[in-house]
Amino acid sequence: MSIPTKFAENMRQIITDPAEYDDFMASLNKERHHGLRINTLKITPEAFEAHFPGFEPVPWCEVGRYYDHQTSGSMGKNPLHSAGLYYIQEPSAMSAVSILDVKPGEKVLDLCASPGGKSTQIAARLAGEGLLVSNDANFGRIPQLIRNIEMAGIANSIILCETPERIASRLPYYFDKVLVDAPCSGEGMFRKDPASCLAWDEGKPVRMAAIQKNILYHAARMVASGGYLAYSTCTFNTTENEDVISDFLAENRDFEQVDQKRILPHRHKGEGHFVALLRKTTQKTHIADDLHQSRQQKLDKDFKSFIDAYRPTLPPGEIKTHNNNLLVLPQIYPDLTGLQVIREGLLLGTLKKHRFEPSYALAMTLTADGFSNVINLPNHHPNITKFLKGETFEINAPDGYNLFCVESHPIGFAKILKNRLKGHVK
């Protein structure tokens, strides 16, 4: 890899010991480390290890694991990945949510969320309680965020496509925890993605720092009194890391720094990350209030027929109809008037010409005992591949919708007619 000269000069100022500097530079041309994070919304670490024994733990994330892609194969192509049992994630990227220490029941904002790795990590720590708001200002990045939220089986989330400024205007002092995984110059990705090395120039850290400071300014307004703000980047320079935090603290006297972590590839098994944890010390009360949702609603007759026929286990919350879509709203629900809301809670499915078609999102929140009709196959069964590819094939199963599972873990709904899988929702 051809390392930019100015980047190398900058790093010499950060890593002043000559021997350690040489170790750092050499590490950029070594094989990167592969990682995944166990999704505890769907499986325990012990049960995961029964499927994949011997994976080395990631020291800063209790559910993170390293894997050898040469001996383990492509973990992204394993059907258990399609079941959402784990999320493929660069190991050092797991550090930001770990340091934020999310607890069940909290209100958490992931301000720069796509593609969703940190959002799904937050949701697992919430354990189905509280509220996750995942936002990305770039609409083109939203579909991947939705897909990963759905595959992880998350029901208590709201997805926004908004600027930090507009969210802060609507939800000041609202969140217990806010994560800013800021856009950055990406120096920590040089080894993983050589294109990021080619895209780097010596002025990029200064340009990105200006963007980062603006995002932090608005993020700070949304943190509740006594709440926490985590700022992270996947870059090495101090301009986007320590200097951004120093300037922020100088301008925001109601915050204090309580922790900081740097991951460097010559010291740790990871590509590189910086995380700073800040606490809001003011005693100002919440300005934004939750909307109190009524649980009393008249269900659409086609949806009620689906429930009567298949007895799916649904999460608690108000059921809302929007553009022929049925959704279960999170039990904690803020006033989002004026904001561009992409998804509210769990999409149950769609009403189509006097019938209800269940969604992939609903399938991924269920368990094998949470639906009346279940097709359950062992991992790597050839029909699993056919199902994921959308093929039609013969299978012994009851007519109608079936929850299609691998090792008792759902990967979608199958539509069966006369022992023939005619279609599926994925």
Side-chain angles (χ1 to χ4, degrees):
M1 181 194 306
S2 178
I3 301 297
T5 301
K6 186 60 179 178
F7 167 76
E9 292 174 358
N10 291 345
M11 292 307 301
R12 195 179 291 277
Q13 300 302 313
I14 296 171
I15 304 175
T16 56
D17 178 80
E20 185 180 6
Y21 172 80
D22 289 342
D23 288 343
F24 169 78
M25 295 302 292
S27 73
L28 299 182
N29 288 300
K30 293 181 179 179
E31 180 70 20
R32 71 182 182 92
H33 297 281
H34 295 260
L36 59 83
R37 180 176 36 76
I38 301 164
N39 180 12
T40 51
L41 291 176
K42 290 179 172 284
I43 192 170
T44 65
E46 294 76 18
F48 173 87
E49 285 158 7
H51 291 290
F52 303 103
F55 283 15
E56 179 187 351
V58 174
W60 48 83
C61 179
E62 69 279 6
V63 292
R65 299 291 185 271
Y66 296 103
Y67 69 92
D68 186 332
H69 72 290
Q70 294 181 341
T71 59
S72 301
S74 175
M75 294 297 292
K77 294 181 179 179
N78 192 301
L80 295 177
H81 177 257
S82 297
L85 301 193
Y86 55 91
Y87 183 92
I88 305 247
Q89 189 171 26
E90 197 281 305
S92 60
M94 304 174 193
S95 60
V97 176
S98 294
I99 205 172
L100 190 56
D101 194 25
V102 172
K103 306 291 186 186
E106 292 180 329
K107 302 172 185 176
V108 186
L109 169 65
D110 186 359
L111 191 55
C112 310
S114 188
K118 293 177 176 66
S119 277
T120 56
Q121 188 176 358
I122 289 168
R125 294 186 69 105
L126 287 174
E129 303 176 25
L131 175 68
L132 166 64
V133 176
S134 299
N135 175 72
D136 203 283
N138 185 340
F139 186 78
R141 292 167 58 87
I142 292 293
Q144 188 62 46
L145 175 61
I146 292 174
R147 180 67 177 185
N148 284 324
I149 291 284
E150 291 182 339
M151 188 163 71
I154 298 165
N156 59 327
S157 70
I158 295 171
I159 298 175
L160 304 178
C161 181
E162 273 297 352
T163 64
E165 180 179 10
R166 283 174 52 81
I167 303 174
S169 297
R170 172 53 58 187
L171 300 174
Y173 279 83
Y174 182 76
F175 294 97
D176 301 300
K177 307 275 174 72
V178 173
L179 172 63
V180 175
D181 184 39
C184 67
S185 60
E187 295 165 352
M189 294 294 103
F190 282 3
R191 183 167 66 177
K192 179 182 177 182
D193 179 17
S196 65
C197 186
L198 296 174
W200 190 93
D201 65 74
E202 61 182 279
K204 194 168 186 178
V206 173
R207 296 195 301 272
M208 298 310 301
I211 295 171
Q212 293 153 359
K213 290 176 183 179
N214 182 64
I215 294 173
L216 267 181
Y217 169 78
H218 296 297
R221 297 170 57 197
M222 293 182 267
V223 182
S225 297
Y228 291 85
L229 170 62
Y231 171 80
S232 71
T233 73
C234 58
T235 204
F236 299 125
N237 66 79
T238 57
T239 301
E240 298 176 72
N241 294 324
E242 287 89 349
D243 293 353
V244 166
I245 295 301
S246 178
D247 290 349
F248 174 83
L249 292 173
E251 297 171 3
N252 295 269
R253 300 292 184 178
D254 54 343
F255 279 86
E256 62 180 3
Q257 185 168 347
V258 295
D259 203 355
Q260 180 176 301
K261 185 176 184 66
R262 259 190 179 275
I263 297 174
L264 296 168
H266 68 295
R267 296 178 185 170
H268 312 96
K269 292 182 176 181
E271 298 310 291
H273 230 69
F274 171 88
V275 190
L277 182 65
L278 312 174
R279 180 179 179 271
K280 196 168 199 173
T281 58
T282 54
Q283 297 303 311
K284 194 170 183 178
T285 57
H286 287 64
I287 296 174
D289 294 320
D290 294 327
L291 297 176
H292 296 286
Q293 303 293 336
S294 169
R295 301 277 188 83
Q296 303 298 319
Q297 67 267 326
K298 183 178 180 181
L299 297 181
D300 177 271
K301 60 180 178 60
D302 297 315
F303 178 55
K304 189 175 185 304
S305 296
F306 175 84
I307 291 177
D308 292 341
Y310 300 107
R311 302 185 301 280
T313 302
L314 303 180
E318 178 188 1
I319 296 178
K320 173 183 177 179
T321 304
H322 180 69
N323 293 336
N324 291 325
N325 290 327
L326 290 185
L327 305 107
V328 178
L329 301 183
Q331 290 185 286
I332 297 175
Y333 197 91
D335 185 354
L336 302 174
T337 303
L339 299 181
Q340 184 169 271
V341 180
I342 305 299
R343 174 70 59 83
E344 304 168 277
L346 172 64
L347 175 64
L348 296 173
T350 306
L351 299 168
K352 294 183 176 180
K353 296 181 180 179
H354 307 295
R355 63 183 174 85
F356 173 77
E357 182 177 289
S359 71
Y360 167 81
L362 172 60
M364 298 305 285
T365 64
L366 296 173
T367 58
D369 59 358
F371 201 76
S372 61
N373 297 347
V374 175
I375 298 169
N376 187 31
L377 299 176
N379 197 12
H380 301 300
H381 190 286
N383 281 347
I384 295 173
T385 301
K386 292 178 183 178
F387 175 80
L388 291 172
K389 288 182 176 180
E391 297 178 5
T392 296
F393 54 91
E394 301 291 331
I395 191 165
N396 185 19
D399 282 358
Y401 287 107
N402 284 250
L403 188 64
F404 201 102
C405 298
V406 51
E407 305 283 355
S408 298
H409 298 287
I411 54 175
F413 283 118
K415 188 70 176 292
I416 307 297
L417 180 62
K418 296 181 180 179
N419 290 329
R420 188 167 182 80
L421 193 147
K422 300 286 290 183
H424 66 295
V425 181
K426 71 168 187 170

